[in-house]
Amino acid sequence: MKQIYFTVTNDLTYDQRMQRICTSLSNGGYQITLVGRKLKSSVPLQRKPYAQKRLRCFFNKGFLFYSEYNLRLFFFLLAKKMDAVCAIDLDTVLPCYFVSLLRKKKKVYDAHELFCEMKEVVSRPQVHKLWKAVEKFCVPKFAQGYTVNANIRDILKEEYGVHYEVIKNVPLLQEKPPPAQPENFILYQGAVNEGRSFETLIPAFQWINVPFFIYGDGNFLSQAKVLIKENKLEEKIFLKGKAEPGELKKITPHALLGISVFENKGKSNYYSLANRFFDYMHAGVPQLCVDYPAYREINDEYKVAVLTNDLSSPSLAEKINAVIHDEALMDELRQNCIRAREKFNWQAEEKILLQFYQHLFA
């Protein structure tokens, strides 16, 4: 049985993509270990069909965290029996590369996004320079890999000459259809990070008479609290914190509308294909989404969202109000979600994943 180690910098509990990947490979006959980190806020790990390991760090953010975690990860992996190691994004790629080199093991790169083009990276010149150097050094050395959409695949091919597979970040198709009767709240689920348009999205709710539930946390959470207070929206916008994937799957289908907007600052956002886009789709929830290439391509085939290029507060409020008060449009979007999820689901992507690892070990 082939042993594969996957490496992330999160605490494993909320990473739905890695939970799907590791479960599929474990069920496919591989011995899988997913490695992340232990935080003070981490809840106990739930039992999975694969092994899970959290590494403890003294530092939890910035250069010191990444340095410490990469060193701890390197020595942890170096001592483990394995046949392959898979780095998830740039923040774990260096230890995976050096361990694979020293141990003469197969290595895989899973690019969840264009890491160097995230707003929190590209807006800080020295930070961007450092991560870009890591990318230029490592990515060409990872001949085997995959990413979440064709746009990112093509960019990596153009910049580094690598030929990666596309494995979309989509939910498992459930047999039971989602409930048809939504409740009176608008939903955002995911990281509350820089670049997610909260600066304009939160003030927009001055003109929207529906509660807004935000599930998640991140590096913009404290600013989001300030914006809610400044705009006197404490009785309308509710920061719900993180929800475990199983709990979130129960909440999402009841939303009136899902929100999936973020700034066009850095290629990572512009060429993204966020998992929340598909989470809303699978839950049968209409959404307001940015008009960027990957979303537009899917929406042209299955109209599951209303797209927008204008992320100003007045425009967002106008768009959201127009959608939620158009019952015919809402019903059309819900029905299209049910149709679209028959194509965009993990059962389809799982086949590509299993084929990739079969070829890796052939």
Side-chain angles (χ1 to χ4, degrees):
M1 184 181 289
K2 299 294 185 183
Q3 297 187 47
I4 311 170
Y5 277 74
F6 291 86
T7 61
V8 298
T9 56
N10 62 61
D11 83 340
L12 310 185
T13 298
Y14 307 98
D15 195 333
Q16 296 188 64
R17 177 174 171 87
M18 292 315 303
Q19 290 173 13
R20 286 190 285 263
I21 286 174
C22 293
T23 297
S24 292
L25 289 171
S26 180
N27 292 339
Y30 297 92
Q31 188 171 331
I32 303 299
T33 302
L34 177 60
V35 186
R37 62 164 161 157
K38 177 78 170 179
L39 297 168
K40 289 182 179 179
S41 59
S42 294
V43 298
L45 289 168
Q46 295 184 358
R47 188 175 181 85
K48 301 290 183 183
Y50 51 87
Q52 301 172 89
K53 174 64 179 179
R54 285 168 166 167
L55 304 180
R56 291 180 179 270
C57 291
F58 291 111
F59 303 101
N60 283 308
K61 62 180 180 179
F63 177 78
L64 290 175
F65 159 68
Y66 287 112
S67 300
E68 180 189 2
Y69 184 75
N70 272 255
L71 280 171
R72 289 182 181 275
L73 183 59
F74 171 77
F75 287 111
F76 173 81
L77 294 173
L78 193 63
K80 299 302 177 182
K81 181 181 177 182
M82 67 175 68
D83 297 286
V85 61
C86 179
I88 314 302
D89 286 325
L90 283 184
D91 45 4
T92 65
V93 76
L94 281 169
C96 291
Y97 169 68
F98 286 115
V99 166
S100 71
L101 187 67
L102 292 170
R103 301 279 308 280
K104 295 181 171 57
K105 302 299 180 182
K106 296 182 182 296
K107 58 187 180 296
V108 175
Y109 184 51
D110 180 354
H112 286 192
E113 56 201 343
L114 291 171
F115 192 92
C116 290
E117 297 298 326
M118 295 189 299
K119 182 183 177 182
E120 54 264 45
V121 175
V122 76
S123 63
R124 297 172 171 86
Q126 293 305 314
V127 172
H128 179 263
K129 184 178 179 180
L130 176 62
W131 283 116
K132 197 66 181 178
V134 172
E135 185 177 83
K136 289 180 177 179
F137 175 75
C138 287
V139 174
K141 297 175 173 62
F142 281 71
Q144 306 293 329
Y146 43 88
T147 186
V148 296
N149 66 50
N151 295 306
I152 296 177
R153 176 199 63 194
D154 293 345
I155 290 171
L156 293 175
K157 179 181 177 181
E158 181 179 349
E159 288 195 30
Y160 302 114
V162 291
H163 299 265
Y164 286 175
E165 283 283 357
V166 172
I167 301 174
K168 295 183 182 69
N169 198 6
V170 294
L172 191 72
L173 180 63
Q174 303 291 336
E175 291 183 10
K176 184 179 179 180
Q181 295 300 321
E183 296 176 15
N184 192 43
F185 69 91
I186 293 170
L187 173 69
Y188 171 88
Q189 60 182 66
V192 184
N193 281 346
E194 292 182 34
R196 304 296 173 94
S197 297
F198 288 108
E199 298 95 329
T200 56
L201 180 60
I202 288 173
F205 275 81
Q206 297 171 85
W207 306 292
I208 301 167
N209 292 319
V210 177
F212 183 33
F213 295 172
I214 298 174
Y215 282 89
D217 68 6
N219 58 32
F220 197 77
L221 190 62
S222 59
Q223 294 96 314
K225 292 177 180 177
V226 171
L227 282 168
I228 292 169
K229 187 174 182 179
E230 286 179 347
N231 289 278
K232 297 179 173 59
L233 293 169
E234 295 94 336
E235 301 302 317
K236 194 178 288 185
I237 299 180
F238 303 91
L239 298 171
K240 297 286 193 175
K242 282 186 174 182
E244 294 183 20
E247 180 187 355
L248 202 54
K249 281 184 173 65
K250 296 176 183 177
I251 295 165
T252 304
H254 297 285
L256 183 65
L257 184 76
I259 301 293
S260 191
V261 297
F262 29 87
E263 301 169 22
N264 181 9
K265 292 184 179 178
K267 294 179 183 177
S268 184
N269 279 353
Y270 187 69
Y271 290 113
S272 68
L273 188 53
N275 58 346
R276 79 179 63 83
F277 179 82
F278 295 107
D279 288 337
Y280 298 148
M281 175 196 293
H282 274 248
V285 175
Q287 61 183 292
L288 179 71
C289 182
V290 285
D291 189 9
Y292 299 163
Y295 308 104
R296 187 186 314 126
E297 181 181 352
I298 293 172
N299 213 52
D300 284 345
E301 185 177 2
Y302 298 95
K303 186 179 178 182
V304 298
V306 171
L307 305 183
T308 183
N309 277 314
D310 189 345
L311 299 180
S312 67
S313 296
S315 177
L316 287 172
E318 182 182 357
K319 285 273 189 180
I320 290 170
N321 281 322
V323 177
I324 63 177
H325 292 114
D326 188 336
E327 235 356 279
L329 174 61
M330 291 285 281
D331 188 60
E332 178 190 2
L333 296 176
R334 292 186 194 108
Q335 295 304 316
N336 288 341
C337 285
I338 304 304
R339 290 176 48 242
R341 69 188 203 141
E342 296 292 331
K343 177 177 179 178
F344 300 103
N345 57 68
W346 186 247
Q347 284 88 333
E349 300 304 308
E350 180 184 59
K351 295 175 183 177
I352 304 171
L353 176 75
L354 293 173
Q355 188 176 55
F356 174 90
Y357 280 96
Q358 288 168 4
H359 288 163
L360 181 71
F361 293 115

